[in-house]
Each structure stands twice: as structure tokens, then as C-alpha cells.
Amino acid sequence: MPGIFQSLTHLLIRNCFARLARMDAILLAIVVVLSTIGFIALFSAGMAQPQRVHDQVRNLIVAGSVLLVVLNIPMKFWQKIALPVFIAGCVLLVATLLVGITTKGATRWLWIGVRIQPSEIMKLSAPLMLAWYYQKRCDSICIWDHVLACILLLIPVGLILKQPDLGTSLLVVIAGLSVIYFAGLNKRIIIGAILAFLASLPILWTFLHEYQRQRVMTLLDPTQDPLGKGFHINQALIAIGSGGFSGKGWMEGTQAHLNFIPEKTSDFLFAVYSEEFGFVGNLILLGLFLALIGRSFYIAGNANTLFERLTAGAIGTIFFTYTFVNMGMVSGILPVVGVPLPFMSYGGTALLILGTCTGILLSISAESKKLQRY
Amino acid sequence: MSLDFKDDDKDVRPFKMRLLFLFGIVCVLFTLLAARFAWLQIINQGAYLEKAERNRTVTVTTQGARGLIFDRNGELIAKNRVAYSLEITPDQVKNVNKTIDALATVIPITSADRRRFRRLRENFHRYTSIPIRQNLTDQEVATFIGQSWRFPGVDINQREYRVYPAGSTGAHFLGYIGSISQNDLKRLQKEGKLNDYDGERVIGKVGIERSYEPVLHGRPGYETLEVTAAGRAVRTLDYLPARPGKNLQLSIDMNLQRITENALKGKQGAVIAIEPGTGEILAFVSVPTYDPNLFPGGIDPVSWNELNTSPSKPLLNRAMRGIYPIGSTYKPFMALAGLETGATSANYTLNDTGSFKVGNHTFRDMARIPKGQVNLRRSLAISSDVYYYWLATKMGIDTIYDFMKPWRFGQKTGIDLIGEQSGLLPSRAWKESRLKTPWYMGDTPSIGIGQGYNSFTLLQLANATATLANRGVMMTPHLVRTTIDPTTSETSAVQNKPAEVIPLKKANINLVTQGMVDVTKIGTARRSFTNFPFDVAGKTGTAQVVSIAQDSRYDASKVARRHHDHALFIAFAPAKAPKIAVAVLVENGGFGAAAAAPIARTMMDYWLTGKNSLGLPPPAYLRTAADSPKSASKR
């Protein structure tokens, strides 16, 4: 008995080392560097809230562990659980609407022993399910598959919109649509859909909640109401702008340290970073994120199966969406939506999802036959 | 990092093209972000940096304490007291009147408080806090703080208030401070001193408070603080301490002031007492007076109206802004003029028949009694009008004008108070230019008895009397003796400088002085100066307010009170070595000998012997080291 156990453990560890040796070290390096920079910025932003810094250390350790575990899970496993997780997620979303916790007018949380936000699961679960679907139909994908994929995607999106949570539903939509796009949806249809979307914007406007409209209005002119709705964005702009070319220096940001930046450890962490490290720091960060997205796409391009390709492509798109929406929001070119900066912002759930995403990418790279040449 | 497409199977090729396409979009959008960062951080860095600085710094202004004012004996007559005041910032309150109504249920607020608030509101910006109640008791402060959550925009602030412990005594020289008005702001701007009044609410309005404003007002201090978004101060970035204003010691003796004001109780008039050798003003009285404590916190409109419309004009500084004919108190100066110019002499004798004719016009003695043979000395003692009708006519207006001009009759004396009036010393040129008529012979006789076009301030009369006492050396009259820097205790004394030295012959001064001593010994004021231990040189005066028709008699009982004659008296004593010179005016008081001279006697009693009916200690200079209460208490 102990012998069997020993050899099993041995096998597992060997397998683990084998995967570690075969995975894409560059992607991991980029993620480690980003997390390190993120923690440095968070350390400065969290001067007045040392608990946040401690918690983030814990979050990083947990996310890192999750990453290592996911790395060792074969992609076949994800393919198997994609649909059940998606269905479970939809059930949870329905449950949230029925018996969820309402805070600040939005019903986004569910109590199941711990407080969870089911919409977060959907960010990864929806693209996984779609990738699974396309993998299943890989030999004969036709236009109706795309239609069905869109309908499947609309189920969780609709449920999340109802909470209401425009930001998250947008992220789920983009992640899902990226899968459909990578699966080969006709370009003419894509262009047509984009045009139709733009044309329907005025109609969509009427469906938006008052607070959502105000956010858009604030984006258009943040100075209009400097102490009200525009306050957050104005202070963030002052922080970024006053950082200048080379920044005020680590721990020297006045906007951050005197509490002028709202949510400075989470959604607005980029403003803190930007104030202290300046334009140069921003370019370095943009470069790192660009590398992260490019490397994700590279892994996608070299993956073995359609499921893996689509998953990796979707994850790259998720990284991009998070980064662009967060930076765009903080620098005042996008409306304020609650999207964290990947690998940097404070927050356990977000890091957990990002760790899982990275783990999946590394798992794909470790299994890739094409990447085994090196 | 490049995407490798070399050995693709056909299935994957379009997928890779799509990856590449999306990556292209990513690059474009990231470039957009980079451009946005460049716009914010490079092109507009300056503007944002300035905003960040303005965000984090707050400059707090503190005012230096206003200088204190003491009298010559060290009695504090203007001080500062810190008190709590309940203040409303109109900008932060939805409905000011409702807020006041609600406040009134917590803390007593009178209608006068409300009126004053309304008045102050007109003067200040919406975002400055305006007091609704001042001098809160500790109990009231505690009561309000317990309920303060109900009143956003209402605060309790500690403020420094000016207090005048002597109340109405001396109000006319001391003056007061009040809220800075638009006119004050304009003046400050013109003088380039607006920065010194940053955060200041009050300024000197009249009297010493106004005239010595630049000395009394300190320099504001600044503290630049780094603050958090919540407004909490983190550290001090820059600090310039406020500098308090300088203290003033006046030459006024508040006890003499009290005794004088007491003697004038119920009357309208003015008194000035000057130390002839120095020009120091010992008492500066104008009655009725007012309470300067009404002003520093902002006077309520009803009290203000009352003061302004009262027929007795309590706000009028009669001592230096009232213009009067001075009547026979002019005669000693006329006598001196006659002697100095050779128009008359000690021995010249004139038969006073009770009237004097110039052309067709007969000038009568005010008392209408023929006084017989009168020489110069006697003309002063019994106050002969005819002698001076004659003397003035003999000298002519030009000689009189030339002699009187250096005495500063009809001109500003140069006292260290703002707002002194000039009055008028009549001359040929003045009449021709202002009245467009030539000087007539008939204009001159009245000039000789201090009537006619003569119109002077009491300050001018007091100044001239002091100059006469000082034998022609005019010391500029002044109220401030020394300024004291409270931080360094450095004192700087005001220089007693002769303003004018009028060349006079010793014999002439002596003769006029003798005539004036006769006034208090055997003359018109003898009753007021019985049993006085020193020789007093004095002169009574009774100035006509309305001209009396040629052949009618002045009958006090038939004339309205406000047309009664003004009673005047000038004096200096001791006659040989004067320590004090006084000029007294009682408006509509009647005969100078009866209404004005006793007041001078009361003052002389106190100043030269220490005697008084108020139980006050004698003047400091009379107390020898041995019996002064100070040295006694030290032992």
C-alpha cells in the first residue's frame, strides 16, 4: 500500500515537474513581473490601510497556488466540466436574482456559506462553454452554430444585466464574442453587427439606468460637477497628470497619500501608479500588458485543439479588455465601470480568476505539441 | 514576440489571421492609451500639478492681536477679549431665516441680534461666516454643541473682540473699530495694504483707533498646511507668524477726563486740556458721548439710527469738528496783537461808553453797560467790548489776520487725529474770493471780540491758549506719548516738537497774563476761582449764536434753547509756570463766567491740587515717591 502511494506521489510530482518544464516560462515571467509592480504600487496606495496590503499578500499566495494547481490539470478536464459549470453558473445567477444580497441598488451577491459573486464565474465559464461547444461541432461549424452560441451567451449576460451590472455583463459579452470571432464567424456579419450595434446606441441609451447614464455623461465632461459624480474621475486625472514624465517617485504621490484618489487600492490603483511613476512607468506597464496579450495569442496560435485555441484566445482577450477598460476609465476616456487592473488591483476574486486564466494558458502551453520543439 | 506561421495546417491558418487582426486592434487601442497618457502627463502636466498642489495645501491666516491702548497712568482703555461667537455661513445654509428661528429655540437671540446680522450680511461674501450671537456663555456653547448636528452651516468660533473698559468716557478721542466696509476696502487697496487685512474683519473707524490704525493693526501670519481630502492637516509646509500691533500710551489722564466729563454732565460742549510745555493733551472731552463698545461686533441698525438722529448729535466730535465763534476768549490774543504791532500800549486808556460807532453802524457792548475808563489790562478783566471794537478797527483786518495766522486760528493744528476741521480765520482775500464782496470797515469791529466771520474749533482755541501759556512756543498738540512693541518691549516716544515759535515781547506776554489773572481774581470769573491756591490766567467768553438786531436786547428767556449763547472759558495755571491750559465750551450755556469757568475750576482743582468730588487719586505727577500707592504696596 505505502509503495503504491509513494509511486503515485512520485508520478504526480514528476508529472508536475514535467509540465513546469514544458510550460511557457515567458508568460509566467510577465505575470510575475506585473504582479510585483502591482504589489509595489499597492503598497504605496495602501499606506493608510495596512490590512489591505496584508490581505493582498494572502490573495497573491492563494492565486499563485491556484495557478500551480490549474497548471497541472489536463485541458481535457476543463473541456469536460465546461458545460456543467456554465449551467451551475446560470442557476446561481438565477438564484442571485431571487434571493441575492442587495447593496447600493444592485443585487450581485449570493450567500452560500460565503459571499460569492456568480457573475465573476461567468467571465471565464461563458467562453469555456462556447469553446467546448465549438470543439464539439468542430468538423461542421455553420452559421447556425454561431447563432446558437450567441443565444447561449445571451442567457448569462441577460441575467447579469438584470442585477444590474453593466460592467461585468460587458466583459462577459466581449469574452464570449471573442470565442465566436475566433471560431470563424463571417467577417461581413461581424461588420454588420458592429454597425447595427452603433445604430442602436440611441435606443440602448433609453434602456440604461439613471446612474449608468450619469457615468457616461460624467465621462463626456468630468468638470461639470467637480464635487459630485465627476469627483472620482477628476481626482484620478489630476493624479495622472501631475505625475508628469517621470512621476513623483514611489510613496511620494500627494493625490494618493492624502486620500484624494477614491478606491485607490482597487479600481483606481492605476492612478496611484501613474502619479508615482509617470509617463515612463505607464509606457513600461503598457508594454508589459501588450506582451502578456501577445504571448497569450501566441499560445493560442500553437495550441493543439480548437477548444484550447479558443480558450487561450478568449483569455488573451479578457486580459486586454480588463487592461483597456481599467486604464481607459482611470484616464477618463471610458465611463466609470468597476473593472480591476489585471494582476495589480486589490481583490481576491479577481486575482483568483486571473490566476486560473494564467494557469489554463500555461497548461495549454505545456500540452502543446508545437511548442515542444524547444 | 512574433507569431510563427511557418508550418501551419490549413485549419489553423484563418484562426491565426484572426489572432493577428485582433492583436492589431489591441496595439491601436494601447497606442490610444499611450497618447492619452502623453496628453495628461506631458502636455498638461503643469496644469494638473497646480491642481494637485491646490488640492493638498490650505493656507490659514491668523491675525496679529490689535495693539492695546493705555492712558498716561497705564490705565487700559482699549483691550482685546477672546469670546465665543455663533456664526452662520449663508452659503452653506438653505434658508437663513428659518435657521435663525430654529437657533432661537436653542440659544436666546434678540431682534437686535437679527438686525445686526442682516446688516453684516450685506457687507460680507456668502461664504464667510457671520456672527448671529456674540459673547456666548460657556453654558450656551455647551447647549449649542449638543444640538449642532441640527444646524449645518452654523459654527461656534473663537474671536477676538475689542473692549473699551472705560465705556463712554473718552469715546471721542479713542474712537472705535467696526466691520470693514466697502469704502475701507477701497482705501486699503489704494494704500496697497489689502494683503495685511487678509481674513481681518474689523478696522479703526474714528479717533485713535482710526488715526493709529497702521500702528495698532498687526501683520497677519500665514500657515500653509498639507491636508488630506477629508481636510485633516497632516503637516505644516510653511509658517510665518503673525505680528501683533503696537501698544499705545496716550498723554490723556483718564481721571481728569472723568472729572471733566462729570462736570459737563447733561450739557453739550467740549473741553480740551493741554500741557503747554509739551503739547500733550491731558483731557479731550466732547459731550454728549456714546459707548464705543457698541461698534466692534457690528452695531445694530436701531442703535445706529438713534445715535445718528439724536438732536444732541452724540457722534459729533465737538472738540475738533465743531466750528464756533469763540467770543471774548479771543480778546487776550487781540490784546497781544495790539501790543506787538504797536496799535495800543499798556498805558493807553479808552472811555468805554457802552457803544462804538463805525460810520452809521453802532456796535454795542454785549452787556450794554458803560465801563468807563479802560486800559488794556482792565479791558481783559472786565471784558470790555468797546476797547476791542476800537483796537480791531485801529489794527485793520490785514494786521489782525497776519498776527493770528501763526496761532493756527482757522487752520488745522496738526493733532494726531484724523478728521480735524479747519474753521475760518477771516481775511480780505477770503471775503473777496468766497463772498464776492469787498471787506467793509464795519466787518472789522466784531472780529475784535471773537465774533463776525471768526469760526474756529475748540482745539484751535485750546492750542492757542497753550501757546500763550508757553510764551509763544507752540507745541503740536498730540494724544500719543509712546508706542510700545509688545514682542520686543521696545518703546519709541513721540517727539514733542515746536510747531511754531511766535516771537513775542516778554513785557507784552506778562501784561496780557496779568490781565487774565485779574479775570479770575477781580474780573468776570472771580466767583469761580475764590480760594484757589494758584494764580490762574483766564478769560471768559460768551459767543452769540444768532445775531441780535441792532436795537433789540438779547433776552435768554425769549430765545429758543438752541439759539442761546455759547459759554466759553480759557485758562492756564499756575500763571507763572503753567502746567495745564484748558479751553471750555458749553453749547448754549449762556454766560461763560457762569457756565464754562466753573468747569475749568474743577479741572484746575484736580490737576494742581488733586482735589475732586469723585474720590479719584490725585494726578501721578503730584504724588511723591514716598506717598505713592505703588511704592506703598511694594513694601
Side-chain angles (χ1 to χ4, degrees):
Chain A
M1 246 341 237
I4 296 168
F5 185 74
Q6 209 171 21
S7 60
L8 206 78
T9 317
H10 184 71
L11 206 79
L12 242 155
I13 291 171
R14 241 187 59 188
N15 176 54
C16 180
F17 274 110
R19 281 180 93 90
L20 270 174
R22 272 179 286 149
M23 69 166 192
D24 188 41
I26 293 174
L27 182 82
L28 185 66
I30 295 168
V31 167
V32 169
V33 171
L34 276 174
S35 305
T36 310
I37 293 175
F39 186 73
I40 288 169
L42 187 95
F43 188 84
S44 173
M47 266 312 275
Q49 301 154 284
Q51 191 57 43
R52 291 234 144 172
V53 180
H54 293 156
D55 287 356
Q56 185 73 349
V57 173
R58 186 201 64 201
N59 294 340
L60 282 169
I61 290 168
V62 170
S65 312
V66 167
L67 184 148
L68 281 178
V69 170
V70 172
L71 163 64
N72 284 290
I73 296 171
M75 286 310 292
K76 284 261 182 318
F77 172 77
W78 294 107
Q79 212 171 319
K80 268 180 204 148
I81 67 158
L83 185 64
V85 168
F86 179 76
I87 292 166
C90 287
V91 170
L92 286 174
L93 280 176
V94 172
T96 305
L97 283 180
L98 296 176
V99 294
I101 303 161
T102 306
T103 321
K104 292 179 194 166
T107 315
R108 294 176 187 171
W109 296 272
L110 192 65
W111 185 259
I112 53 159
V114 286
R115 209 171 86 139
I116 60 157
Q117 194 176 339
S119 54
E120 287 292 325
I121 301 167
M122 272 303 160
K123 284 179 187 168
L124 189 53
S125 165
L128 273 178
M129 184 277 297
L130 291 178
W132 163 82
Y133 176 76
Y134 282 116
Q135 175 68 49
K136 207 159 180 56
R137 308 266 311 142
C138 68
D139 294 328
S140 53
I141 295 174
C142 67
I143 183 75
W144 296 110
D145 291 315
H146 297 311
V147 172
L148 187 65
C150 282
I151 292 166
L152 284 172
L153 181 61
L154 276 178
I155 297 167
V157 168
L159 290 169
I160 296 168
L161 265 178
K162 196 109 177 65
Q163 290 182 348
D165 189 345
L166 187 65
T168 308
S169 51
L170 226 77
L171 290 174
V172 174
V173 165
I174 290 170
L177 285 181
S178 74
V179 177
I180 298 170
Y181 162 76
F182 287 129
L185 179 64
N186 192 305
K187 276 172 197 153
R188 266 174 286 178
I189 297 176
I190 296 172
I191 294 165
I194 290 172
L195 288 178
F197 173 74
L198 289 176
S200 67
L201 269 182
I203 301 158
L204 272 174
W205 179 255
T206 61
F207 282 103
L208 288 180
H209 284 261
E210 187 54 36
Y211 82 99
Q212 289 164 338
R213 281 188 216 169
Q214 277 179 359
R215 279 181 183 178
V216 178
M217 290 312 289
T218 302
L219 171 81
L220 295 177
D221 184 11
T223 55
Q224 208 175 36
D225 182 12
L227 285 174
K229 298 171 276 301
F231 180 79
H232 287 198
I233 202 68
N234 253 339
Q235 293 301 338
L237 290 184
I238 292 171
I240 297 172
S242 66
F245 186 74
S246 52
K248 294 178 185 169
W250 188 51
M251 305 289 277
E252 298 291 334
T254 59
Q255 285 287 103
H257 286 269
L258 299 171
N259 287 331
F260 285 96
I261 302 175
E263 301 293 333
K264 59 181 176 178
T265 55
S266 51
D267 291 354
F268 281 80
L269 180 71
F270 178 65
V272 178
Y273 172 84
S274 201
E275 183 184 19
E276 296 188 348
F277 297 100
F279 183 66
V280 173
N282 286 356
L283 285 191
I284 291 171
L285 205 58
L286 273 181
L288 283 167
F289 277 115
L290 199 63
L292 176 75
I293 296 156
R295 198 67 194 175
S296 305
F297 286 178
Y298 175 75
I299 290 168
N302 292 298
N304 293 339
T305 65
L306 180 61
F307 173 72
E308 289 170 13
R309 281 198 289 275
L310 293 181
T311 304
I315 289 173
T317 311
I318 289 171
F319 287 160
F320 160 68
T321 316
Y322 272 48
T323 308
F324 183 72
V325 170
N326 181 275
M327 287 185 175
M329 162 187 86
V330 176
S331 62
I333 55 173
L334 289 179
V336 177
V337 281
V339 173
L341 190 59
F343 304 106
M344 294 180 71
S345 288
Y346 172 85
T349 315
L351 272 181
L352 212 65
I353 304 237
L354 289 164
T356 310
C357 289
T358 314
I360 291 174
L361 278 180
L362 291 175
S363 179
I364 292 169
S365 71
E367 289 176 15
S368 168
K369 286 180 192 120
K370 284 182 194 155
L371 291 172
Q372 295 321 305
R373 305 171 298 194
Y374 312 108
Chain B
M1 158 177 353
S2 66
L3 294 171
D4 190 1
F5 295 125
K6 265 184 276 173
D7 52 346
D8 291 335
D9 46 306
K10 279 180 184 143
D11 256 8
V12 183
R13 198 180 186 88
F15 172 69
K16 288 196 171 176
M17 286 313 292
R18 288 185 178 228
L19 278 176
L20 200 62
F21 181 73
L22 188 59
F23 191 70
I25 292 178
V26 169
C27 288
V28 169
L29 290 178
F30 271 29
T31 309
L32 181 72
L33 279 179
R36 174 68 173 168
F37 298 152
W39 168 257
L40 292 174
Q41 298 188 296
I42 295 171
I43 296 169
N44 287 315
Q45 188 211 0
Y48 283 115
L49 200 58
E50 201 188 302
K51 280 186 186 174
E53 280 303 296
R54 233 183 299 144
N55 253 351
R56 76 175 180 120
T57 58
V58 160
T59 300
V60 181
T61 317
T62 45
Q63 283 296 330
R66 194 175 175 84
L68 308 174
I69 305 176
F70 301 91
D71 87 337
R72 71 187 295 129
N73 303 318
E75 183 183 331
L76 189 55
I77 52 177
K79 63 176 183 179
N80 304 311
R81 188 165 57 92
V82 172
Y84 291 104
S85 92
L86 185 67
E87 301 183 354
I88 298 177
T89 310
D91 195 46
Q92 295 173 9
V93 172
K94 269 189 199 138
N95 185 328
V96 173
N97 285 331
K98 270 191 189 154
T99 304
I100 296 175
D101 289 341
L103 277 173
T105 63
V106 180
I107 283 174
I109 291 170
T110 65
S111 49
D113 289 331
R114 285 169 190 257
R115 286 192 297 267
R116 189 180 49 211
F117 177 82
R118 274 199 292 276
R119 194 179 142 93
L120 287 173
R121 226 181 129 177
E122 290 161 12
N123 262 335
F124 290 104
H125 288 296
R126 286 182 57 76
Y127 47 80
T128 46
S129 63
I130 299 166
I132 175 77
R133 255 296 307 279
Q134 296 168 343
N135 295 330
L136 295 175
T137 63
D138 289 351
Q139 178 64 44
E140 284 169 334
V141 171
T143 311
F144 174 78
I145 286 171
Q147 307 250 344
S148 60
W149 56 270
R150 282 175 55 196
F151 303 104
V154 183
D155 305 287
I156 284 191
N157 287 316
Q158 252 193 354
R159 295 218 177 269
E160 205 166 64
Y161 287 98
R162 195 67 156 173
V163 177
Y164 305 105
S168 64
T169 306
H172 282 286
F173 70 79
L174 190 53
Y176 53 81
I177 60 169
S179 315
I180 298 177
S181 67
Q182 293 302 317
N183 281 340
D184 292 325
L185 285 176
K186 268 182 220 151
R187 199 182 68 230
L188 288 172
Q189 189 157 29
K190 217 186 268 170
E191 292 167 5
K193 287 182 183 162
L194 215 49
N195 282 345
D196 289 352
Y197 286 79
D198 219 3
E200 180 61 278
R201 290 162 170 253
V202 288
I203 192 168
K205 293 287 183 178
V206 288
I208 292 283
E209 291 277 36
R210 158 89 191 273
S211 311
Y212 281 84
E213 174 69 25
V215 181
L216 290 165
H217 188 262
R219 186 197 61 196
Y222 299 96
E223 190 173 15
T224 307
L225 297 168
E226 187 174 68
V227 295
T228 65
R232 194 172 56 82
V234 179
R235 61 190 167 127
T236 301
L237 299 172
D238 195 13
Y239 178 59
L240 176 74
R243 191 180 57 200
K246 286 181 178 149
N247 298 342
L248 296 179
Q249 184 176 44
L250 306 187
S251 58
I252 293 280
D253 185 297
M254 280 306 277
N255 288 338
L256 182 64
Q257 180 84 18
R258 282 193 184 91
I259 287 161
T260 313
E261 286 191 18
N262 184 56
L264 277 159
K265 204 184 274 173
K267 299 185 171 107
Q268 295 176 24
V271 176
I272 290 176
I274 299 177
E275 188 176 72
T278 58
E280 287 183 357
I281 294 176
L282 302 172
F284 186 106
V285 175
S286 172
V287 284
T289 176
Y290 59 91
D291 184 2
N293 289 305
L294 288 171
F295 292 90
I299 188 167
D300 76 274
V302 169
S303 310
W304 174 245
N305 244 355
E306 251 168 47
L307 285 175
N308 267 313
T309 55
S310 166
S312 64
K313 294 184 182 160
L315 291 178
L316 173 65
N317 187 336
R318 289 172 160 84
M320 67 173 200
R321 293 184 61 83
I323 290 169
Y324 305 93
I326 60 168
S328 302
T329 55
Y330 202 40
K331 285 174 184 167
F333 306 100
M334 281 298 296
L336 209 49
L339 290 169
E340 287 290 326
T341 58
T344 186
S345 66
N347 303 323
Y348 177 82
T349 308
L350 177 142
N351 185 20
D352 181 345
T353 58
S355 64
F356 182 76
K357 258 191 144 153
V358 175
N360 290 331
H361 195 100
T362 304
F363 292 86
R364 292 178 194 284
D365 186 280
M366 294 249 296
R368 301 220 148 201
I369 304 161
K371 289 178 173 137
Q373 296 297 316
V374 177
N375 64 8
L376 186 130
R377 190 170 159 180
R378 190 166 158 76
S379 75
L380 289 169
I382 61 167
S383 199
S384 161
D385 286 348
V386 172
Y387 189 92
Y388 290 93
Y389 289 144
W390 164 79
L391 183 58
T393 311
K394 181 155 188 222
M395 287 173 73
I397 182 63
D398 297 328
T399 313
I400 297 173
Y401 177 82
D402 289 343
F403 182 83
M404 293 301 178
K405 197 157 182 251
W407 294 77
R408 303 220 173 155
F409 281 115
Q411 298 143 72
K412 290 183 176 165
T413 63
I415 190 175
D416 50 350
L417 287 180
I418 291 171
E420 180 188 7
Q421 288 285 347
S422 303
L424 172 72
L425 180 65
S427 70
R428 200 183 291 277
W430 163 80
K431 198 181 174 199
E432 280 167 5
S433 77
R434 294 301 299 274
L435 302 184
K436 311 281 180 220
T437 51
W439 188 270
Y440 298 118
M441 275 290 279
D443 290 336
T444 312
S446 306
I447 299 296
I449 61 159
Q451 295 281 153
Y453 295 119
N454 285 327
S455 40
F456 309 141
T457 65
L458 187 80
L459 176 62
Q460 287 160 11
L461 182 58
N463 181 45
T465 307
T467 305
L468 181 60
N470 208 29
R471 306 182 88 79
V473 180
M474 180 187 293
M475 307 301 290
T476 308
H478 58 275
L479 286 152
V480 173
R481 280 180 119 181
T482 44
T483 58
I484 305 134
D485 189 317
T487 44
T488 61
S489 300
E490 212 171 278
T491 63
S492 71
V494 169
Q495 295 294 310
N496 300 316
K497 48 186 184 296
E500 202 91 52
V501 179
I502 302 162
L504 298 170
K505 286 197 192 80
K506 224 177 188 180
N508 294 343
I509 299 174
N510 288 344
L511 181 63
V512 171
T513 307
Q514 272 168 1
M516 289 173 75
V517 171
D518 287 349
V519 170
T520 64
K521 285 232 162 101
I522 54 167
T524 48
R526 63 186 181 279
R527 282 192 199 89
S528 298
F529 283 90
T530 47
N531 300 323
F532 192 70
F534 297 95
D535 280 351
V536 177
K539 182 68 194 82
T540 55
T542 308
Q544 283 179 357
V545 178
V546 288
S547 43
I548 308 298
Q550 249 198 47
D551 290 313
S552 65
R553 275 188 73 121
Y554 170 79
D555 182 349
S557 61
K558 288 186 184 160
V559 183
R561 177 83 202 172
R562 66 192 168 85
H563 291 151
H564 282 195
D565 293 341
H566 291 332
L568 288 116
F569 190 71
I570 59 169
F572 57 88
K576 290 242 166 59
K579 287 201 169 70
I580 182 170
V582 302
V584 180
L585 165 90
V586 180
E587 278 185 7
N588 317 116
F591 289 108
I599 291 162
R601 166 72 195 258
T602 311
M603 295 171 76
M604 298 284 185
D605 266 340
Y606 176 70
W607 197 248
L608 298 177
T609 70
K611 219 168 79 182
N612 69 85
S613 61
L614 298 178
L616 296 168
Y621 82 97
L622 283 181
R623 294 175 233 157
T624 60
D627 62 9
S628 86
K630 250 191 187 170
S631 59
S633 64
K634 266 181 196 161
R635 246 191 302 130

